[in-house]
Amino acid sequence: MLINCDIKGLEVVVAAELSDDKVLKNEIISGVDTHGDNQKRFSLPDRVTAKRFIFKLLYGATAYGYSVDSDFLGVGYSEKRWQEVIDEFYNKYQGIAKWHTRIILEAKEKGWLSIPSGRSYEFRPKQLARGDLKWPLTQIKNYPVQGFGADLVMLARIEFFRNFMASGLTGYFIQTVHDSLVIDSPLQNVEKIVNLLTDAVDKVPLLCYNNWKYNFTLPLTCEIQVGKNKKELYDYKQWKESL
């Protein structure tokens, strides 16, 4: 059986952590449906669109980008309307707005940014034909979130693999797919492996401190699916009830 362990809302959690945005951190800790709330607040057509909107904004998306993005063409918003949605987002999550401003200034001043795991990213402006300098703003916003998220997944991967090997359970740790851990296991070992995966993800904030002396303040949780193949994956609880 294939087991897919997806770390829930990884980029949103990492952005909330790095920016120390009080509103978003409170939503995560309180279990608020952030995407559902934002769908209503930003007058977006559905929850999926609201989810795509926040993820792409954290990656540095612009109003123009949304207006021509195939994922949002059905929304029908103009560039001006998308800018209003972005402004409303930053009005709600002022900590993220200040953080974006801060890291852009820092990248321009120092030429690089570092994240809590010790990874650093170098940034250089491109000189345009008319002599102006264009900084890679999308990358400046995106790299810290993606990089720190990848390092957190690495901690979960190592913790799970160590415990999996020590357990003596039969199975194969196939790969990491972005923020997911994928395991191939005999049916009789699924429940035990699911428990190992859940424990590994839950332990990441502690591992973050143990490895990098960084106090990760937010919980990390996971969603687990099980099935015969990638096409036929089902929520673990539903799959278990169907046995």
Side-chain angles (χ1 to χ4, degrees), residues 76-166:
Y77 285 177
S78 65
E79 182 178 348
K80 179 181 178 181
R81 174 57 185 143
W82 275 118
Q83 187 58 55
E84 292 172 351
V85 176
I86 292 173
D87 292 342
E88 180 61 21
F89 174 89
Y90 281 134
N91 183 53
K92 178 183 179 183
Y93 301 114
Q94 295 183 25
I96 290 181
K98 293 176 181 177
W99 176 61
H100 276 168
T101 299
R102 185 175 71 251
I103 61 176
I104 288 171
L105 290 175
E106 184 179 347
K108 289 180 177 180
E109 289 174 359
K110 299 193 306 185
W112 58 275
L113 292 173
S114 61
I115 56 178
S117 59
R119 190 189 299 270
S120 295
Y121 298 101
E122 183 177 313
F123 300 101
R124 291 289 181 267
K126 178 187 293 186
Q127 188 163 4
L128 303 179
R130 60 179 180 272
D132 295 335
L133 296 178
K134 182 178 181 180
W135 286 86
L137 303 185
T138 297
Q139 295 176 3
I140 292 171
K141 294 177 183 179
N142 184 11
Y143 284 13
V145 174
Q146 292 280 13
F148 196 34
D151 288 338
L152 297 176
V153 174
M154 175 189 67
L155 292 179
R157 178 172 67 240
I158 293 172
E159 178 68 12
F160 166 75
F161 188 69
R162 284 175 176 169
N163 293 331
F164 179 52
M165 289 293 96

Side-chain angles (χ1 to χ4, degrees), residues 33-240:
D33 181 4
T34 296
H35 303 307
D37 182 71
N38 288 341
Q39 175 201 344
K40 298 173 184 176
R41 179 160 181 159
F42 305 149
S43 300
L44 295 171
D46 52 56
R47 188 180 181 279
V48 172
T49 300
K51 185 176 181 179
R52 287 175 178 165
F53 165 75
I54 188 172
F55 278 103
K56 294 201 177 190
L57 188 62
L58 294 176
Y59 300 158
T62 63
Y64 172 75
Y66 285 118
S67 69
V68 297
D69 191 323
S70 59
D71 286 337
F72 298 94
L73 289 181
V75 179
Y77 285 177
S78 65
E79 182 178 348
K80 179 181 178 181
R81 174 57 185 143
W82 275 118
Q83 187 58 55
E84 292 172 351
V85 176
I86 292 173
D87 292 342
E88 180 61 21
F89 174 89
Y90 281 134
N91 183 53
K92 178 183 179 183
Y93 301 114
Q94 295 183 25
I96 290 181
K98 293 176 181 177
W99 176 61
H100 276 168
T101 299
R102 185 175 71 251
I103 61 176
I104 288 171
L105 290 175
E106 184 179 347
K108 289 180 177 180
E109 289 174 359
K110 299 193 306 185
W112 58 275
L113 292 173
S114 61
I115 56 178
S117 59
R119 190 189 299 270
S120 295
Y121 298 101
E122 183 177 313
F123 300 101
R124 291 289 181 267
K126 178 187 293 186
Q127 188 163 4
L128 303 179
R130 60 179 180 272
D132 295 335
L133 296 178
K134 182 178 181 180
W135 286 86
L137 303 185
T138 297
Q139 295 176 3
I140 292 171
K141 294 177 183 179
N142 184 11
Y143 284 13
V145 174
Q146 292 280 13
F148 196 34
D151 288 338
L152 297 176
V153 174
M154 175 189 67
L155 292 179
R157 178 172 67 240
I158 293 172
E159 178 68 12
F160 166 75
F161 188 69
R162 284 175 176 169
N163 293 331
F164 179 52
M165 289 293 96
S167 72
L169 292 169
T170 304
Y172 298 96
F173 187 4
I174 301 175
Q175 60 186 346
T176 305
V177 182
H178 189 48
D179 54 3
S180 296
L181 310 180
V182 183
I183 293 87
D184 190 356
S185 162
L187 178 62
Q188 66 270 20
N189 292 341
V190 168
E191 184 172 2
K192 292 179 180 179
I193 291 176
V194 166
N195 290 336
L196 290 177
L197 287 165
T198 302
D199 291 343
V201 174
D202 287 345
K203 197 175 178 182
V204 167
L206 175 61
L207 295 171
C208 194
Y209 183 81
N210 291 344
N211 285 274
W212 304 316
K213 302 306 176 192
Y214 178 80
N215 183 28
F216 197 92
T217 60
L218 293 169
L220 281 178
T221 58
C222 60
E223 297 175 329
I224 296 180
Q225 297 175 308
V226 180
K228 295 179 180 179
N229 51 58
K230 290 291 285 184
K231 184 180 180 180
E232 300 177 78
L233 287 175
Y234 303 95
D235 175 79
Y236 171 64
K237 292 182 179 179
Q238 295 178 349
W239 173 84
K240 191 175 179 181

